[in-house]
């Protein structure tokens, strides 16, 4: 359960706050009463949720590169946070093939820099390093990966995320050991989420943004891997997991939660790409269908699922929105944008719906 009382007045340092997940988390934290300091490069897409929702007017906004340790450390000290959530990353599998050096530098050394800055800044109580479900050595299992499964990665993105997990575990063991939490007072955890979707995502080579661009332009979407299965979930679901995890890391005894955590959807929300596409097209309305790409594709995992039993049992976390609810939110968000609505108000409305357990289904029906 997310505690508004806990977050009120908390100082939170958030890297990657200009990105898709970072913008949603910035909006949510400020709505809870937290004081957010953000550190990131300029928004990675145009348009961006960060700009549309005017997130820079809600947070202490700093433009900086996660690879710049001296500047990162200076901004972190100035922010003097209670809690650090590290989201800054190169988040795209296909881009990692084109830019492997940058991918490793950002995702691996960026994590090193963040944890080194934390080590040299007092007063921090909880740190969450966000990686990815692709940190696991993918064996194309039909069952979900558990937190104690092997790290791996056969592409630069996945390999970088596995490395980031090893970095986090190494820093925790070396400088913030859980069995000495009473001495140093810092609880460091990692969080692994599935394929997040939601309004406000315009990244290239990501399924739902690509689909929405095609639908808005009245074009037929082209699917690279129609039968690939992914653990799809709305972005607010793993963000809720991060918030709840931070609540457990913060107090005395938080060292018991300083480990890796999966935050994924219900097992039956791991859909193949073609099923998700059909559902999104139906929600959008009109006469739309898709084609399969006949071109050779870069290697990506065929099947990927997460086992989230640990988060359910120990944190009391579970997904709030089913995949059909998440797709309804995407449609409602994009139709509101086309209607030139105030997107900060739309985002806050969708966060409030999520917190109350309601969905955007009625909003989509009213727009049909």
């Amino acid at each position: 359960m997310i505690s508004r009382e806990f977050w009120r007045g908390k100082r939170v340092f958030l890297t990657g706050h200009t990105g898709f997940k970072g913008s949603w988390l910035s909006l949510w934290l400020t709505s809870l009463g937290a004081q957010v300091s953000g550190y990131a490069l300029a928004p990675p897409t145009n348009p961006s949720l960060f700009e549309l929702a005017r997130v820079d007017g809600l947070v202490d906004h700093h433009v900086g590169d996660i690879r710049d340790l001296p500047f990162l450390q200076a901004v972190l000290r100035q922010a003097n946070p209670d809690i650090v959530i590290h989201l800054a990353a190169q988040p795209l599998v296909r881009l990692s093939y084109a830019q492997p050096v940058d991918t490793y530098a950002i995702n691996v050394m960026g994590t090193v820099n963040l944890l080194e800055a934390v080590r040299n800044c007092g007063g921090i109580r909880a740190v969450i390093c966000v990686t990815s479900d692709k940190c696991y050595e993918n064996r194309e299992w039909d069952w979900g990966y558990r937190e104690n499964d092997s790290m791996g990665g056969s592409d630069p993105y996945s390999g970088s995320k596995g490395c980031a997990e090893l970095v986090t575990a190494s820093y925790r063991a070396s400088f913030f050991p859980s069995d000495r939490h009473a001495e140093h007072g810092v609880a460091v955890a990692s969080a692994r989420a599935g394929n997040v979707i939601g309004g406000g995502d315009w990244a290239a080579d990501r399924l739902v943004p690509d689909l929405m661009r095609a639908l808005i332009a009245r074009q037929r979407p082209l699917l690279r891997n129609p039968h690939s299965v992914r653990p799809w979930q709305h972005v607010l679901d793993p963000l809720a997991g991060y918030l709840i995890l931070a609540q457990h890391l913060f107090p005395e005894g938080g060292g018991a939660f300083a480990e890796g955590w999966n935050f994924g959807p219900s097992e039956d929300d791991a859909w193949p790409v073609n099923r998700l596409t059909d559902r999104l097209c139906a929600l959008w309305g009109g006469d739309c269908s898709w084609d399969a790409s006949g071109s050779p594709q870069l290697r990506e995992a065929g099947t990927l699922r997460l086992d989230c039993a640990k988060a359910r049992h120990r944190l009391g976390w579970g997904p709030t929105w089913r995949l059909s609810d998440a797709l309804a939110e995407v449609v409602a968000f994009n139709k509101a944008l086309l209607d030139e609505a105030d997107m900060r108000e739309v985002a806050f409305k969708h966060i409030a719906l999520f917190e109350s357990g309601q969905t955007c289904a009625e909003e989509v029906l009213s727009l049909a």
Side-chain angles (χ1 to χ4, degrees), residues 190-246:
S190 63
R192 307 149 187 178
N195 286 53
V196 297
I197 65 173
D201 187 5
W202 285 279
D205 290 324
R206 281 169 56 88
L207 178 65
V208 172
D210 286 347
L211 291 176
M212 289 310 310
R213 278 187 283 267
L215 293 174
I216 291 170
R218 300 181 182 275
Q219 298 172 348
R220 289 169 68 90
L222 193 64
L223 305 185
R224 295 193 303 268
N225 301 294
H227 303 292
S228 292
V229 176
R230 294 288 185 272
W232 313 101
Q233 59 188 326
H234 192 271
V235 62
L236 294 179
D237 266 313
L239 295 186
Y242 307 162
L243 295 175
I244 293 170
L245 175 57

Short mmCIF file of all heavy atoms in Angstrom, two decimals, residues 190-246:
data_model
loop_
_atom_site.label_atom_id
_atom_site.label_comp_id
_atom_site.label_asym_id
_atom_site.label_seq_id
_atom_site.Cartn_x
_atom_site.Cartn_y
_atom_site.Cartn_z
N SER A 190 17.60 -3.48 -5.97
CA SER A 190 17.40 -3.33 -7.42
C SER A 190 15.98 -3.78 -7.75
O SER A 190 15.39 -4.60 -7.05
CB SER A 190 18.42 -4.15 -8.20
OG SER A 190 18.29 -5.54 -7.94
N ALA A 191 15.46 -3.21 -8.83
CA ALA A 191 14.08 -3.50 -9.24
C ALA A 191 14.08 -3.86 -10.72
O ALA A 191 14.66 -3.15 -11.54
CB ALA A 191 13.18 -2.30 -8.98
N ARG A 192 13.40 -4.96 -11.05
CA ARG A 192 13.37 -5.47 -12.41
C ARG A 192 11.93 -5.54 -12.89
O ARG A 192 11.13 -6.29 -12.35
CB ARG A 192 14.00 -6.87 -12.44
CG ARG A 192 15.39 -6.91 -11.81
CD ARG A 192 15.70 -8.23 -11.15
NE ARG A 192 16.98 -8.15 -10.41
CZ ARG A 192 17.47 -9.15 -9.71
NH1 ARG A 192 16.82 -10.31 -9.61
NH2 ARG A 192 18.62 -9.00 -9.07
N ALA A 193 11.62 -4.71 -13.86
CA ALA A 193 10.25 -4.64 -14.37
C ALA A 193 10.18 -5.22 -15.77
O ALA A 193 11.20 -5.37 -16.45
CB ALA A 193 9.74 -3.20 -14.37
N GLY A 194 8.95 -5.50 -16.21
CA GLY A 194 8.74 -6.04 -17.54
C GLY A 194 8.61 -4.94 -18.58
O GLY A 194 9.11 -3.83 -18.41
N ASN A 195 7.93 -5.25 -19.67
CA ASN A 195 7.73 -4.29 -20.76
C ASN A 195 6.63 -3.32 -20.38
O ASN A 195 5.45 -3.66 -20.42
CB ASN A 195 7.38 -5.03 -22.06
CG ASN A 195 8.57 -5.73 -22.66
OD1 ASN A 195 9.24 -6.50 -21.99
ND2 ASN A 195 8.84 -5.46 -23.92
N VAL A 196 7.00 -2.10 -19.99
CA VAL A 196 6.01 -1.13 -19.54
C VAL A 196 5.42 -0.38 -20.73
O VAL A 196 6.11 -0.08 -21.70
CB VAL A 196 6.60 -0.14 -18.52
CG1 VAL A 196 7.04 -0.88 -17.27
CG2 VAL A 196 7.75 0.65 -19.09
N ILE A 197 4.14 -0.08 -20.63
CA ILE A 197 3.44 0.70 -21.63
C ILE A 197 2.64 1.77 -20.91
O ILE A 197 2.45 1.72 -19.70
CB ILE A 197 2.51 -0.17 -22.50
CG1 ILE A 197 1.38 -0.77 -21.66
CG2 ILE A 197 3.29 -1.27 -23.20
CD1 ILE A 197 0.32 -1.51 -22.49
N GLY A 198 2.18 2.76 -21.67
CA GLY A 198 1.35 3.80 -21.08
C GLY A 198 1.34 5.04 -21.95
O GLY A 198 2.17 5.20 -22.86
N GLY A 199 0.41 5.91 -21.70
CA GLY A 199 0.38 7.18 -22.39
C GLY A 199 1.64 7.97 -22.11
O GLY A 199 2.19 7.90 -21.01
N GLY A 200 2.11 8.71 -23.10
CA GLY A 200 3.28 9.52 -22.91
C GLY A 200 4.58 8.88 -23.34
O GLY A 200 5.65 9.43 -23.11
N ASP A 201 4.50 7.70 -23.99
CA ASP A 201 5.70 7.03 -24.47
C ASP A 201 5.79 7.22 -25.98
O ASP A 201 4.90 6.78 -26.72
CB ASP A 201 5.64 5.54 -24.13
CG ASP A 201 6.94 4.82 -24.46
OD1 ASP A 201 7.91 5.48 -24.86
OD2 ASP A 201 6.98 3.58 -24.30
N TRP A 202 6.86 7.86 -26.45
CA TRP A 202 7.08 8.06 -27.88
C TRP A 202 8.43 7.50 -28.32
O TRP A 202 8.97 7.92 -29.35
CB TRP A 202 6.98 9.55 -28.23
CG TRP A 202 5.58 10.05 -28.24
CD1 TRP A 202 4.66 9.94 -29.23
CD2 TRP A 202 4.92 10.75 -27.18
NE1 TRP A 202 3.47 10.52 -28.86
CE2 TRP A 202 3.60 11.03 -27.60
CE3 TRP A 202 5.31 11.18 -25.91
CZ2 TRP A 202 2.68 11.70 -26.81
CZ3 TRP A 202 4.40 11.85 -25.11
CH2 TRP A 202 3.11 12.11 -25.56
N ALA A 203 8.97 6.54 -27.59
CA ALA A 203 10.28 5.98 -27.95
C ALA A 203 10.20 5.26 -29.29
O ALA A 203 9.16 4.69 -29.66
CB ALA A 203 10.74 5.02 -26.86
N ALA A 204 11.30 5.28 -30.00
CA ALA A 204 11.38 4.57 -31.28
C ALA A 204 11.59 3.08 -31.04
O ALA A 204 12.17 2.67 -30.03
CB ALA A 204 12.53 5.13 -32.11
N ASP A 205 11.09 2.27 -31.97
CA ASP A 205 11.30 0.81 -31.93
C ASP A 205 10.75 0.19 -30.66
O ASP A 205 11.33 -0.77 -30.11
CB ASP A 205 12.79 0.47 -32.09
CG ASP A 205 13.30 0.76 -33.49
OD1 ASP A 205 12.53 0.55 -34.45
OD2 ASP A 205 14.45 1.21 -33.63
N ARG A 206 9.65 0.75 -30.14
CA ARG A 206 8.91 0.12 -29.05
C ARG A 206 7.50 -0.11 -29.55
O ARG A 206 6.91 0.76 -30.22
CB ARG A 206 8.91 1.00 -27.80
CG ARG A 206 10.21 0.90 -27.02
CD ARG A 206 10.31 1.95 -25.94
NE ARG A 206 9.21 1.95 -25.00
CZ ARG A 206 9.16 1.21 -23.90
NH1 ARG A 206 10.14 0.40 -23.61
NH2 ARG A 206 8.13 1.29 -23.08
N LEU A 207 6.94 -1.26 -29.23
CA LEU A 207 5.72 -1.71 -29.90
C LEU A 207 4.57 -0.73 -29.78
O LEU A 207 4.00 -0.29 -30.79
CB LEU A 207 5.30 -3.08 -29.34
CG LEU A 207 3.98 -3.62 -29.93
CD1 LEU A 207 4.12 -3.90 -31.41
CD2 LEU A 207 3.53 -4.86 -29.17
N VAL A 208 4.17 -0.38 -28.56
CA VAL A 208 2.97 0.45 -28.39
C VAL A 208 3.15 1.85 -28.97
O VAL A 208 2.27 2.34 -29.68
CB VAL A 208 2.54 0.47 -26.91
CG1 VAL A 208 1.42 1.48 -26.69
CG2 VAL A 208 2.06 -0.93 -26.49
N PRO A 209 4.28 2.54 -28.74
CA PRO A 209 4.46 3.83 -29.42
C PRO A 209 4.42 3.71 -30.94
O PRO A 209 3.83 4.55 -31.63
CB PRO A 209 5.83 4.30 -28.93
CG PRO A 209 6.01 3.63 -27.62
CD PRO A 209 5.36 2.29 -27.76
N ASP A 210 5.05 2.65 -31.48
CA ASP A 210 5.01 2.45 -32.93
C ASP A 210 3.58 2.22 -33.41
O ASP A 210 3.16 2.74 -34.46
CB ASP A 210 5.88 1.25 -33.32
CG ASP A 210 7.38 1.54 -33.23
OD1 ASP A 210 7.74 2.73 -33.11
OD2 ASP A 210 8.17 0.59 -33.27
N LEU A 211 2.81 1.44 -32.65
CA LEU A 211 1.41 1.20 -33.02
C LEU A 211 0.60 2.48 -33.00
O LEU A 211 -0.18 2.76 -33.91
CB LEU A 211 0.79 0.17 -32.08
CG LEU A 211 1.29 -1.28 -32.17
CD1 LEU A 211 0.64 -2.12 -31.09
CD2 LEU A 211 1.02 -1.86 -33.55
N MET A 212 0.79 3.28 -31.95
CA MET A 212 0.01 4.51 -31.85
C MET A 212 0.36 5.49 -32.96
O MET A 212 -0.53 6.15 -33.52
CB MET A 212 0.24 5.17 -30.48
CG MET A 212 -0.39 4.44 -29.31
SD MET A 212 -2.14 4.00 -29.56
CE MET A 212 -2.83 5.56 -30.08
N ARG A 213 1.63 5.57 -33.32
CA ARG A 213 2.01 6.45 -34.44
C ARG A 213 1.31 6.01 -35.72
O ARG A 213 0.82 6.85 -36.49
CB ARG A 213 3.53 6.45 -34.61
CG ARG A 213 4.28 7.39 -33.68
CD ARG A 213 5.75 7.47 -34.03
NE ARG A 213 6.47 6.30 -33.55
CZ ARG A 213 7.09 6.23 -32.37
NH1 ARG A 213 7.06 7.27 -31.55
NH2 ARG A 213 7.74 5.15 -32.01
N ALA A 214 1.27 4.70 -35.93
CA ALA A 214 0.62 4.19 -37.15
C ALA A 214 -0.88 4.43 -37.12
O ALA A 214 -1.47 4.85 -38.13
CB ALA A 214 0.92 2.70 -37.30
N LEU A 215 -1.52 4.19 -35.99
CA LEU A 215 -2.97 4.36 -35.90
C LEU A 215 -3.37 5.81 -36.07
O LEU A 215 -4.36 6.12 -36.75
CB LEU A 215 -3.47 3.81 -34.56
CG LEU A 215 -3.36 2.29 -34.36
CD1 LEU A 215 -3.74 1.90 -32.94
CD2 LEU A 215 -4.22 1.54 -35.37
N ILE A 216 -2.63 6.72 -35.45
CA ILE A 216 -2.94 8.15 -35.58
C ILE A 216 -2.76 8.61 -37.03
O ILE A 216 -3.53 9.42 -37.54
CB ILE A 216 -2.07 8.97 -34.61
CG1 ILE A 216 -2.50 8.69 -33.16
CG2 ILE A 216 -2.16 10.46 -34.91
CD1 ILE A 216 -1.56 9.24 -32.12
N ALA A 217 -1.75 8.05 -37.71
CA ALA A 217 -1.50 8.42 -39.11
C ALA A 217 -2.36 7.61 -40.09
O ALA A 217 -2.22 7.78 -41.30
CB ALA A 217 -0.02 8.21 -39.43
N ARG A 218 -3.22 6.74 -39.56
CA ARG A 218 -4.08 5.87 -40.38
C ARG A 218 -3.25 4.98 -41.31
O ARG A 218 -3.57 4.79 -42.49
CB ARG A 218 -5.08 6.71 -41.19
CG ARG A 218 -6.01 7.55 -40.32
CD ARG A 218 -7.00 8.34 -41.17
NE ARG A 218 -7.86 9.17 -40.36
CZ ARG A 218 -8.99 8.77 -39.77
NH1 ARG A 218 -9.38 7.52 -39.92
NH2 ARG A 218 -9.72 9.60 -39.05
N GLN A 219 -2.18 4.42 -40.75
CA GLN A 219 -1.34 3.49 -41.49
C GLN A 219 -1.46 2.10 -40.88
O GLN A 219 -1.89 1.95 -39.73
CB GLN A 219 0.12 3.96 -41.44
CG GLN A 219 0.35 5.32 -42.08
CD GLN A 219 1.77 5.83 -41.85
OE1 GLN A 219 2.52 5.29 -41.03
NE2 GLN A 219 2.13 6.88 -42.57
N ARG A 220 -1.07 1.08 -41.64
CA ARG A 220 -1.09 -0.29 -41.14
C ARG A 220 0.21 -0.55 -40.36
O ARG A 220 1.30 -0.44 -40.93
CB ARG A 220 -1.21 -1.29 -42.29
CG ARG A 220 -2.57 -1.30 -42.95
CD ARG A 220 -2.53 -2.12 -44.23
NE ARG A 220 -2.34 -3.54 -43.98
CZ ARG A 220 -3.33 -4.42 -43.78
NH1 ARG A 220 -4.59 -4.00 -43.81
NH2 ARG A 220 -3.07 -5.69 -43.57
N PRO A 221 0.11 -0.90 -39.07
CA PRO A 221 1.33 -1.19 -38.31
C PRO A 221 2.06 -2.39 -38.89
O PRO A 221 1.44 -3.33 -39.40
CB PRO A 221 0.80 -1.50 -36.90
CG PRO A 221 -0.57 -0.90 -36.86
CD PRO A 221 -1.11 -1.00 -38.25
N LEU A 222 3.39 -2.37 -38.79
CA LEU A 222 4.23 -3.46 -39.25
C LEU A 222 4.88 -4.11 -38.04
O LEU A 222 5.63 -3.45 -37.30
CB LEU A 222 5.30 -2.92 -40.21
CG LEU A 222 6.09 -3.93 -41.04
CD1 LEU A 222 5.16 -4.66 -42.00
CD2 LEU A 222 7.20 -3.22 -41.82
N LEU A 223 4.59 -5.39 -37.80
CA LEU A 223 5.09 -6.08 -36.61
C LEU A 223 6.34 -6.87 -36.94
O LEU A 223 6.37 -7.67 -37.88
CB LEU A 223 4.02 -7.03 -36.06
CG LEU A 223 2.66 -6.41 -35.73
CD1 LEU A 223 1.76 -7.46 -35.07
CD2 LEU A 223 2.81 -5.19 -34.84
N ARG A 224 7.40 -6.65 -36.14
CA ARG A 224 8.66 -7.36 -36.37
C ARG A 224 8.57 -8.81 -35.93
O ARG A 224 9.02 -9.71 -36.61
CB ARG A 224 9.79 -6.65 -35.61
CG ARG A 224 10.12 -5.26 -36.07
CD ARG A 224 11.45 -4.79 -35.49
NE ARG A 224 11.48 -4.84 -34.04
CZ ARG A 224 11.16 -3.82 -33.25
NH1 ARG A 224 10.74 -2.69 -33.78
NH2 ARG A 224 11.24 -3.94 -31.94
N ASN A 225 8.00 -9.03 -34.74
CA ASN A 225 7.95 -10.38 -34.15
C ASN A 225 6.55 -10.63 -33.59
O ASN A 225 6.33 -10.53 -32.37
CB ASN A 225 9.00 -10.51 -33.05
CG ASN A 225 10.41 -10.28 -33.55
OD1 ASN A 225 10.92 -11.06 -34.34
ND2 ASN A 225 11.05 -9.20 -33.08
N PRO A 226 5.57 -10.96 -34.45
CA PRO A 226 4.17 -11.05 -34.00
C PRO A 226 3.91 -12.05 -32.89
O PRO A 226 2.96 -11.90 -32.13
CB PRO A 226 3.42 -11.44 -35.28
CG PRO A 226 4.32 -11.06 -36.40
CD PRO A 226 5.70 -11.21 -35.89
N HIS A 227 4.75 -13.09 -32.79
CA HIS A 227 4.47 -14.16 -31.83
C HIS A 227 5.33 -14.09 -30.57
O HIS A 227 5.22 -14.97 -29.71
CB HIS A 227 4.64 -15.53 -32.52
CG HIS A 227 3.79 -15.69 -33.74
ND1 HIS A 227 2.41 -15.78 -33.68
CD2 HIS A 227 4.13 -15.74 -35.06
CE1 HIS A 227 1.93 -15.89 -34.91
NE2 HIS A 227 2.94 -15.87 -35.76
N SER A 228 6.17 -13.07 -30.45
CA SER A 228 6.97 -12.92 -29.24
C SER A 228 6.07 -12.59 -28.05
O SER A 228 5.14 -11.80 -28.16
CB SER A 228 8.01 -11.80 -29.42
OG SER A 228 8.98 -12.17 -30.36
N VAL A 229 6.37 -13.20 -26.92
CA VAL A 229 5.58 -13.02 -25.70
C VAL A 229 6.37 -12.15 -24.72
O VAL A 229 7.56 -12.39 -24.48
CB VAL A 229 5.25 -14.38 -25.05
CG1 VAL A 229 4.50 -14.18 -23.73
CG2 VAL A 229 4.44 -15.24 -26.01
N ARG A 230 5.71 -11.14 -24.16
CA ARG A 230 6.34 -10.24 -23.21
C ARG A 230 5.44 -10.02 -21.99
O ARG A 230 4.21 -10.11 -22.11
CB ARG A 230 6.61 -8.87 -23.85
CG ARG A 230 7.63 -8.90 -24.98
CD ARG A 230 9.04 -9.12 -24.43
NE ARG A 230 10.03 -9.03 -25.48
CZ ARG A 230 10.42 -10.06 -26.23
NH1 ARG A 230 9.88 -11.25 -26.03
NH2 ARG A 230 11.34 -9.91 -27.16
N PRO A 231 6.05 -9.70 -20.83
CA PRO A 231 5.25 -9.39 -19.63
C PRO A 231 4.81 -7.93 -19.66
O PRO A 231 5.34 -7.07 -18.96
CB PRO A 231 6.23 -9.68 -18.48
CG PRO A 231 7.59 -9.38 -19.07
CD PRO A 231 7.50 -9.74 -20.53
N TRP A 232 3.79 -7.63 -20.45
CA TRP A 232 3.31 -6.26 -20.61
C TRP A 232 2.64 -5.77 -19.33
O TRP A 232 1.90 -6.51 -18.68
CB TRP A 232 2.30 -6.17 -21.75
CG TRP A 232 2.71 -6.85 -23.01
CD1 TRP A 232 2.31 -8.09 -23.45
CD2 TRP A 232 3.60 -6.35 -24.02
NE1 TRP A 232 2.90 -8.38 -24.66
CE2 TRP A 232 3.69 -7.33 -25.03
CE3 TRP A 232 4.33 -5.16 -24.15
CZ2 TRP A 232 4.48 -7.17 -26.16
CZ3 TRP A 232 5.11 -5.00 -25.28
CH2 TRP A 232 5.18 -5.98 -26.27
N GLN A 233 2.86 -4.50 -19.00
CA GLN A 233 2.20 -3.93 -17.83
C GLN A 233 2.17 -2.41 -17.97
O GLN A 233 3.03 -1.82 -18.65
CB GLN A 233 2.93 -4.31 -16.55
CG GLN A 233 4.39 -3.85 -16.51
CD GLN A 233 5.15 -4.41 -15.32
OE1 GLN A 233 4.60 -4.61 -14.24
NE2 GLN A 233 6.43 -4.66 -15.51
N HIS A 234 1.17 -1.80 -17.34
CA HIS A 234 1.13 -0.34 -17.35
C HIS A 234 2.25 0.20 -16.50
O HIS A 234 2.60 -0.35 -15.45
CB HIS A 234 -0.22 0.19 -16.84
CG HIS A 234 -0.39 1.65 -17.12
ND1 HIS A 234 0.03 2.61 -16.23
CD2 HIS A 234 -0.87 2.31 -18.20
CE1 HIS A 234 -0.20 3.81 -16.75
NE2 HIS A 234 -0.74 3.66 -17.94
N VAL A 235 2.82 1.32 -16.91
CA VAL A 235 3.98 1.91 -16.24
C VAL A 235 3.72 2.18 -14.76
O VAL A 235 4.63 2.07 -13.93
CB VAL A 235 4.42 3.20 -16.98
CG1 VAL A 235 3.33 4.25 -16.95
CG2 VAL A 235 5.72 3.74 -16.42
N LEU A 236 2.49 2.50 -14.38
CA LEU A 236 2.21 2.82 -12.98
C LEU A 236 2.33 1.60 -12.07
O LEU A 236 2.58 1.75 -10.87
CB LEU A 236 0.82 3.45 -12.84
CG LEU A 236 0.65 4.82 -13.50
CD1 LEU A 236 -0.78 5.34 -13.31
CD2 LEU A 236 1.66 5.84 -12.96
N ASP A 237 2.18 0.39 -12.63
CA ASP A 237 2.27 -0.79 -11.78
C ASP A 237 3.68 -1.01 -11.23
O ASP A 237 3.85 -1.15 -10.01
CB ASP A 237 1.76 -2.03 -12.52
CG ASP A 237 0.29 -2.30 -12.23
OD1 ASP A 237 -0.08 -2.26 -11.05
OD2 ASP A 237 -0.47 -2.55 -13.18
N PRO A 238 4.73 -1.06 -12.05
CA PRO A 238 6.06 -1.18 -11.44
C PRO A 238 6.46 0.05 -10.63
O PRO A 238 7.16 -0.08 -9.63
CB PRO A 238 6.99 -1.38 -12.65
CG PRO A 238 6.24 -0.86 -13.81
CD PRO A 238 4.81 -1.12 -13.52
N LEU A 239 6.01 1.24 -11.05
CA LEU A 239 6.32 2.44 -10.25
C LEU A 239 5.72 2.31 -8.85
O LEU A 239 6.35 2.71 -7.86
CB LEU A 239 5.80 3.69 -10.94
CG LEU A 239 6.44 4.07 -12.28
CD1 LEU A 239 5.92 5.41 -12.77
CD2 LEU A 239 7.96 4.08 -12.20
N ALA A 240 4.53 1.76 -8.77
CA ALA A 240 3.93 1.49 -7.44
C ALA A 240 4.82 0.55 -6.65
O ALA A 240 5.02 0.71 -5.44
CB ALA A 240 2.53 0.92 -7.60
N GLY A 241 5.38 -0.45 -7.35
CA GLY A 241 6.31 -1.37 -6.69
C GLY A 241 7.53 -0.66 -6.15
O GLY A 241 7.97 -0.93 -5.02
N TYR A 242 8.09 0.28 -6.91
CA TYR A 242 9.26 1.01 -6.45
C TYR A 242 8.92 1.83 -5.21
O TYR A 242 9.72 1.91 -4.26
CB TYR A 242 9.80 1.95 -7.52
CG TYR A 242 10.08 1.34 -8.88
CD1 TYR A 242 10.20 2.13 -10.01
CD2 TYR A 242 10.20 -0.06 -9.04
CE1 TYR A 242 10.45 1.58 -11.26
CE2 TYR A 242 10.43 -0.62 -10.29
CZ TYR A 242 10.56 0.21 -11.40
OH TYR A 242 10.79 -0.33 -12.63
N LEU A 243 7.76 2.48 -5.23
CA LEU A 243 7.35 3.31 -4.08
C LEU A 243 7.16 2.46 -2.83
O LEU A 243 7.60 2.83 -1.72
CB LEU A 243 6.07 4.06 -4.42
CG LEU A 243 6.16 5.09 -5.54
CD1 LEU A 243 4.79 5.68 -5.85
CD2 LEU A 243 7.14 6.21 -5.21
N ILE A 244 6.53 1.31 -2.98
CA ILE A 244 6.31 0.43 -1.84
C ILE A 244 7.63 -0.14 -1.34
O ILE A 244 7.87 -0.25 -0.13
CB ILE A 244 5.32 -0.70 -2.21
CG1 ILE A 244 3.93 -0.11 -2.48
CG2 ILE A 244 5.24 -1.75 -1.11
CD1 ILE A 244 2.95 -1.09 -3.09
N LEU A 245 8.51 -0.52 -2.27
CA LEU A 245 9.82 -1.03 -1.88
C LEU A 245 10.59 0.04 -1.10
O LEU A 245 11.21 -0.26 -0.06
CB LEU A 245 10.61 -1.44 -3.13
CG LEU A 245 12.06 -1.89 -2.92
CD1 LEU A 245 12.14 -3.05 -1.94
CD2 LEU A 245 12.68 -2.28 -4.27
N ALA A 246 10.56 1.28 -1.54
CA ALA A 246 11.26 2.35 -0.83
C ALA A 246 10.72 2.51 0.58
O ALA A 246 11.48 2.78 1.53
CB ALA A 246 11.12 3.66 -1.60
#
